[in-house]
Each structure stands twice: as structure tokens, then as C-alpha cells.
Amino acid sequence: MADQQEEEDLRMALRMSMQNSPPEPKRSKPREAANLATTTPEESRRLQRELMAAAAEKRMLATAKSVPSSGSPLKSDSGGDIGTKEMEIKAKEVKLGNELSEKEAYQLFFMVFGSDVSKDILAQWSNQGIRFSPDPETSMILVQHEGGPCGVLAAIQAFVLKHLLFCPDDLVKAAQSTPQNSTPRRLSKNQYVASNNFAAFTENAKARALVKSMGEILFLCGNNKRAVIATLSSIGDGVEESEDSLTDVIIAQALEGLSIESASDLHKVLRVETYTTPASAYKRLEAIIPVFQSRMGALLFLISALLSRGLDCVQADRDDPSLPLVTAPFGHASQEIVNLLLCGQAVPNVFDGRMDLGGGMFLKGVSTNVEVGFLTLLESLNFCKVGQNLKCPKWPIWVVGSESHYTVLFALDTAVQDENELEERESHIRKAFDAQDQSGGGGFISVEGFHQVLRETNIRLPSEKLDSLCGSGFIVWSEFWQVILDLDKSLGGLKDSTGQMGQKIFDLYHFNGIAKSDLNGSQFSSGGETPMQRPRLTKLRVSVPPRWTPEEFMADVAVLPSGSAGTQPSGKDTEVAKPEPSQHAPLVDCIRTRWPRAVCNWVGDPPSIV
């Protein structure tokens, strides 16, 4: 009974330490609830401190009694056990890493928030931890409770998926811990994740993936030379040296009353350490991961990434360094933040390389290939153009941007990005054409060069088509390409009446980490009245018809019986199967920027990117 009361006291204290106002009444104890409801804020804070101190003292005394002095992890300098008060004093005295200079703290604060940031935006960024969803179905998702830091969470989420789905070492360990797996040594990556059972990953596997993802991003920002880890001076090394049962208590005490409202606040509370090897950074991140899981986690990680890159380098990356990285009026992460976490540079644009505006002025985009990519609804609205570096990442994982939110799209099979026969053929023809283009990229070639292209690509044009293209004395790519689309495959073109050339069918999955009510109504709280607040996971079936297929042909094509795709009746060419009617949502527009004319279907409510 005493242990139960102790646990209740501890839980109450922890809940109260994360709030600015008294908590909701506890349903299991009506009398205590009534008392709490009538307390003033000053009385509530006093009760909070008393409960916290009592719970921590009980834990410390119990630990001191149960652990022999020779093996106790809690030792004073003289070798004796450390009492509760002495431990609290030592925890406050410990200073982790180095202080930022006052100048650096001010530069950092105004770079992130600007000079006119609202308290609401500061509160959003000071109350978002990096935590996995407790819901089994979405247990791979980093859950978000408020708008603002979604750009940071989505980028980390994308790297977490990379390590969980496509990292062989972690995959084998996770598979071996799954009871259903009887032959782990022969288990391939695709076989493991093909079950769609994302809850099969253990908490340990997810924690490893999170630490590796955070470390990888920080070293990416540090040009693979360093990673800077930012934490709070009030926490010190207490978390690393404490028992698991005391970790939450130490963090709750450190966060009590802590707020970041100015550059001066940042200067007072921030401590940083620099690591030059991934192993050392991973070890440190693993030790203090509870700090990043706390309400300050997303902000601390953003600061770590900016310091890893270097504040001067961040400003040099940007087109307009005078604007804050967190955008007004809603406090969303800017494209610079997302690009920093995905490619290591805080560039503001999503096209490849840089754009020359003349007069020595350039707009900076993404200059390197990336591990995980980026798609945006804004491209479908013609506000920007995502380059191939972000659109075709190494792994089939993309952060998806809308006007106000960031989510994650991914596939379980890397083959979704492989070029099929049509795409390889197109690449070969275009490469041959460009080799003859002497116009500086104007997209036209001479008649002599055109005949060389036809020979290299084995294209046999009918005489009337050839005369038409060569009549003006030069050949334009757009006109040539239209002829190729209408030319049958047997003559070297891309038109294929079987429909097998260029057709793709695959599955994509979409994560929206922000906790919302389940619109399907399939999950409810224990009371049976309020829909459960949880992230969303949606599976999409994607069919991409051949690019040469005219819309009117697709509308009139005969529909094949179910399961007959790929069969070929005797004496006839099998016609293209008409795809299912496409369902539409803004996410589909994003997908079509990567796979033009994709047809998407799903079960249940539409996937949400807001």
C-alpha cells in the first residue's frame, strides 16, 4: 500500500511539473481532487514542491538501503552514500559542457525567433518532446501535440524510418526479438517489413534508431566533422548518473519554472558539448535521451543542429539572413530548417544547385544527393520546383510539406524508385540527343546530329515523320519527343499496346505525427464517448499508367478481369487494364510531383497533410 501511495505521489508531482496550471482532478481520489480544484496557484506550486521532494526522498532512501555501499552508484567524494539534499546540491553545481558566449546566445535566439516573437510561439517550441506514439498501431511515429516544431519532428522521423526499415544491423536485431520469426538469418529487409506490422519493432530498436538518427543529422549538419549537442545546465550530469527511476524526477525538477522568453534566458540555461566521432556522440545522446524526450527536446535538437553547422555558416547558407528561421505568425519551421536537417545546409530553396540571377547574385538550392527526400504541395501549385536531389533520395522516404505542416511519406520497397523499361529508354534517348545539342542547352540539334541520334538509339522513323522533323533544318527536342511517344515500341518508340512498358503499381505509407481525433471512429477512449487523440497512418495503393498513354485512350480502354494483368490471350495483345477511379486528397497532388499521373486509393478517411 505504501509503495502504491509513493507511486501516486510521484506521478502527481511529475504531471504538475509539466504544467503551468493545476492539473485536472484525479478520478481515482475524489477527495484529493476536490482539494486540488480549490487551491490557489501559489498553494499548488507549494504542494508540487512538497510532493516532488517527498517522492524523490523516498526513492533515494530506498535505493541507499537496497544497494550495498561498495557497489552503490551514488557516492560522495569521501566514499559515503550521498543523501538527498547533497545530491540535489551537486546536481545544481554540475555544469555540462561549455556556455555559449552572450553574443552567440543573442545571435542564436534572434536567428531562430527574430526580434518580435510571440509568447505563444515560444511556448510551442518549449513544450514539444521527441517521443514515440504510445498507440500500438502508430508506435513508430514521433507524436506532435502542437503546431510549430513539426518540421524538426518530420525530419527526425524520416531518418528513424531509414534506420528501422533499411538498416541491416538494426533489422536483424529487431527481427530476432520477434517470436514469429523462426529463421532470422535468412530474413531479408523487404520480407521483414512486408508484414506491415509496424508495432513489431521493440522499444529498444526504436530507441536505437532515434539515437542513430539524431546523431546522423547532427554530423550531417557538421559536415561529417563534428556534432554539437545542446542541453540544459540545470540538468547537468544528473540524468546520466541517476537510476532510471530518478531520471524523470531530475528532469522535472530542472524544468520546473523554466521558460525561454529571451536571448538572456537562452544564455543562462544552455550548455553545449562538441563531439568529433559518431561513436562518442551516439554514446552521449543515448545517455541523455530523456532530456530530448522532455518538453524542451525539439528546441534543443534544433539548436544542436544549428550549432553543429555553425551560426555564421547557417547565415551564409540563406538568401535572406534577416528573416527568422521560425516563421510568423504561427511559428512553423521554415524551409531552411527542414533543408538543414535533410541535407546539412540551411538553404532556403528546394531546386538543385543554385540559380544565377546575374550581377553576382545567386539563389541557393540543394547541391548534394540526400538520404531521405522532400516533396511539397507547393510544387503542385506551381510555387516552386523540387529538384532531383530531394525528389529522388537514396531511400524511398520523403518529408512532405504543405502550407502549414510537415508529414512523412515512405515505401517499404526501394524498387519504387528504380527506372522501368520506359524510363531507361527515355534516359537513353535524351542522353543521345543532349550529346548532339550544340546550342548551350537550347534543346535543338542539327539534321546531321539528329541522324546520329537515330542510329545510336535504334529508332526507325517513317519517312513522312522524318521529313517533317528535318524540314526546318534543325530538330527541336519537344517535337521529337512527341513523335517518340506516338511511335510504336517495335520501331524504337515508347508506345506499347500491351501496357506493360512503363506501368507501375506499388504501396506507399503516410504518417501524420500530430495527434488528432480518429475520424474513422474505430478507436475510442475508455469512456466510449471521446475519439482517441492519436497520429494517423494511411496506406495508399499507387498505380502509375504509362506516360505515353493519352487520357482519352485510358477512358475507353477495356477493363480486364481481376487478376488477369499480364496474361495474353492467344492471337491478341493484352490491352491496358483501366485503373480504379482515383481518390483525391492534397497528398495525391504531392505524390504526382514525383510520379506524374499517379492514381491513388486508400481505405477509410483521406490522408491528411495538415
Side-chain angles (χ1 to χ4, degrees):
M1 184 64 71
D3 290 341
Q4 292 178 354
Q5 181 61 45
E6 174 190 332
E7 293 292 336
E8 284 295 318
D9 290 344
L10 180 59
R11 282 195 291 269
M12 179 186 293
L14 292 176
R15 285 197 300 271
M16 294 177 71
S17 69
M18 300 298 287
Q19 304 183 40
N20 294 324
S21 58
E24 295 181 0
K26 294 172 61 177
R27 296 180 181 177
S28 59
K29 295 189 176 183
R31 180 180 61 81
E32 294 180 13
N35 291 337
L36 281 173
T38 60
T39 57
T40 65
E42 291 77 14
E43 291 172 334
S44 174
R45 299 298 291 179
R46 178 181 56 79
L47 177 59
Q48 172 188 339
R49 289 192 294 269
E50 291 174 356
L51 288 171
M52 184 72 71
E57 186 171 1
K58 289 179 182 179
R59 287 286 189 183
M60 289 296 301
L61 292 175
T63 303
K65 292 178 180 179
S66 60
V67 181
S69 59
S70 60
S72 174
L74 306 174
K75 290 285 184 180
S76 69
D77 293 339
S78 59
D81 293 341
I82 299 177
T84 304
K85 293 183 179 179
E86 184 180 353
M87 180 182 177
E88 291 175 355
I89 293 174
K90 290 181 73 65
K92 291 180 180 179
E93 290 175 347
V94 171
K95 300 298 183 183
L96 173 64
N98 302 311
E99 288 185 353
L100 286 181
S101 69
E102 189 171 354
K103 179 181 177 181
E104 289 174 318
Y106 274 77
Q107 182 184 3
L108 177 61
F109 184 87
F110 289 111
M111 179 189 298
V112 176
F113 295 114
S115 58
D116 192 26
V117 60
S118 69
K119 290 187 177 181
D120 287 341
I121 290 177
L122 290 171
Q124 288 175 2
W125 282 85
S126 299
N127 288 281
Q128 179 62 63
I130 305 173
R131 286 180 174 270
F132 288 104
S133 168
D135 178 54
E137 183 179 337
T138 58
S139 62
M140 287 170 64
I141 302 180
L142 297 175
V143 65
Q144 180 186 353
H145 297 290
E146 293 189 56
C150 54
V152 173
L153 294 180
I156 299 173
Q157 177 74 76
F159 278 89
V160 167
L161 287 171
K162 167 198 162 180
H163 285 284
L164 282 176
L165 300 177
F166 302 110
C167 179
D169 292 339
D170 281 355
L171 186 67
V172 170
K173 293 176 182 178
Q176 289 174 338
S177 65
T178 305
Q180 306 89 299
N181 176 35
S182 57
T183 57
R185 288 179 299 176
R186 301 181 61 184
L187 194 62
S188 72
K189 289 183 289 188
N190 289 341
Q191 285 175 319
Y192 179 69
V193 298
S195 66
N196 305 335
N197 181 17
F198 300 128
F201 290 103
T202 65
E203 293 299 318
N204 189 37
K206 290 187 294 183
R208 286 199 314 273
L210 179 58
V211 167
K212 285 191 173 183
S213 298
M214 293 169 65
E216 181 177 0
I217 292 173
L218 295 182
F219 266 97
L220 182 64
C221 296
N223 200 26
N224 293 319
K225 295 179 180 179
R226 68 171 187 171
V228 177
I229 299 177
T231 188
L232 303 172
S233 58
S234 55
I235 293 177
D237 289 323
V239 171
E240 187 173 1
E241 296 175 354
S242 70
E243 294 288 321
D244 290 342
S245 59
L246 290 174
T247 297
D248 288 341
V249 174
I250 293 173
I251 293 176
Q253 288 176 326
L255 295 178
E256 182 180 353
L258 176 65
S259 63
I260 304 295
E261 298 182 356
S262 67
S264 178
D265 291 336
L266 205 61
H267 174 62
K268 292 176 184 177
V269 305
L270 202 64
R271 295 295 181 272
V272 297
E273 283 186 339
T274 301
Y275 297 88
T276 56
T277 64
S280 61
Y282 293 156
K283 183 178 180 180
R284 182 58 179 166
L285 287 169
E286 186 177 12
I288 63 169
I289 199 66
V291 178
F292 288 99
Q293 293 172 331
S294 76
R295 65 176 176 88
M296 294 291 292
L299 179 57
L300 287 174
F301 186 76
L302 173 59
I303 290 172
S304 299
L306 293 170
L307 294 175
S308 295
R309 175 64 177 157
L311 300 185
D312 291 339
C313 289
V314 170
Q315 293 296 70
D317 290 338
R318 309 173 65 197
D319 288 340
D320 188 350
S322 66
L323 297 176
L325 291 170
V326 171
T327 61
F330 303 112
H332 299 135
S334 64
Q335 190 65 48
E336 287 111 319
I337 289 178
V338 175
N339 284 349
L340 173 67
L341 302 181
L342 295 183
C343 72
Q345 296 180 333
V347 293
N349 303 297
V350 292
F351 51 72
D352 290 342
R354 64 180 185 174
M355 184 182 298
D356 189 350
L357 301 180
M361 297 180 64
F362 298 90
L363 295 179
K364 294 177 279 289
V366 178
S367 59
T368 59
N369 296 325
V370 295
E371 294 288 301
V372 298
F374 179 78
L375 304 174
T376 176
L377 182 65
L378 298 181
E379 181 175 6
S380 70
L381 301 174
N382 295 319
F383 285 113
C384 66
K385 177 67 175 177
V386 179
Q388 293 302 298
N389 286 332
L390 287 175
K391 195 170 285 185
C392 302
K394 181 177 180 180
W395 305 104
I397 305 168
W398 297 264
V399 172
V400 176
S402 68
E403 301 97 326
S404 60
H405 190 43
Y406 294 98
T407 55
V408 179
L409 182 75
F410 68 100
L412 303 181
D413 190 349
T414 57
V416 302
Q417 296 210 100
D418 292 347
E419 284 191 338
N420 57 31
E421 183 183 0
L422 180 144
E423 291 165 333
E424 290 177 353
R425 179 68 174 155
E426 176 186 349
S427 297
H428 180 49
I429 295 173
R430 185 67 205 232
K431 184 177 180 180
F433 188 94
D434 289 345
Q436 300 297 325
D437 188 350
Q438 303 298 315
S439 66
F444 59 89
I445 60 178
S446 66
V447 173
E448 182 180 356
F450 181 55
H451 284 286
Q452 179 63 29
V453 171
L454 298 181
R455 287 192 293 270
E456 290 181 4
T457 57
N458 295 317
I459 295 174
R460 300 181 300 281
L461 291 177
S463 57
E464 65 274 12
K465 294 286 186 183
L466 184 61
D467 293 342
S468 175
L469 286 172
C470 297
S472 62
F474 58 87
I475 292 82
V476 179
W477 166 257
S478 59
E479 296 177 356
F480 175 47
W481 179 242
Q482 189 57 52
V483 170
I484 295 301
L485 292 176
D486 294 333
L487 185 66
D488 193 82
K489 178 183 176 182
S490 62
L491 297 175
L494 298 179
K495 189 170 184 177
D496 176 22
S497 60
T498 68
Q500 302 305 306
M501 185 178 181
Q503 186 179 31
K504 284 184 174 182
I505 298 176
F506 53 88
D507 291 330
L508 293 175
Y509 295 82
H510 180 252
F511 275 168
N512 187 341
I514 197 163
K516 293 184 178 181
S517 296
D518 189 316
L519 302 180
N520 289 316
S522 58
Q523 296 286 338
F524 292 91
S525 64
S526 57
E529 298 178 356
T530 306
M532 178 183 292
Q533 298 286 318
R534 67 174 190 175
R536 288 283 308 279
L537 168 64
T538 305
K539 179 180 179 181
L540 300 97
R541 185 70 166 173
V542 181
S543 175
V544 184
R547 273 181 283 181
W548 56 264
T549 308
E551 293 289 349
E552 56 271 19
F553 177 81
M554 291 300 295
D556 298 334
V557 71
V559 179
L560 291 176
S562 176
S564 62
T567 60
Q568 197 167 11
S570 176
K572 291 185 180 181
D573 288 338
T574 304
E575 293 187 348
V576 181
K578 186 177 181 180
E580 296 181 20
S582 178
Q583 295 172 273
H584 187 264
L587 176 62
V588 177
D589 294 328
C590 298
I591 292 172
R592 286 176 176 168
T593 65
R594 175 62 181 84
W595 293 278
R597 303 175 62 200
V599 175
C600 300
N601 300 93
W602 56 83
V603 176
D605 295 300
S608 172
I609 59 174
V610 297

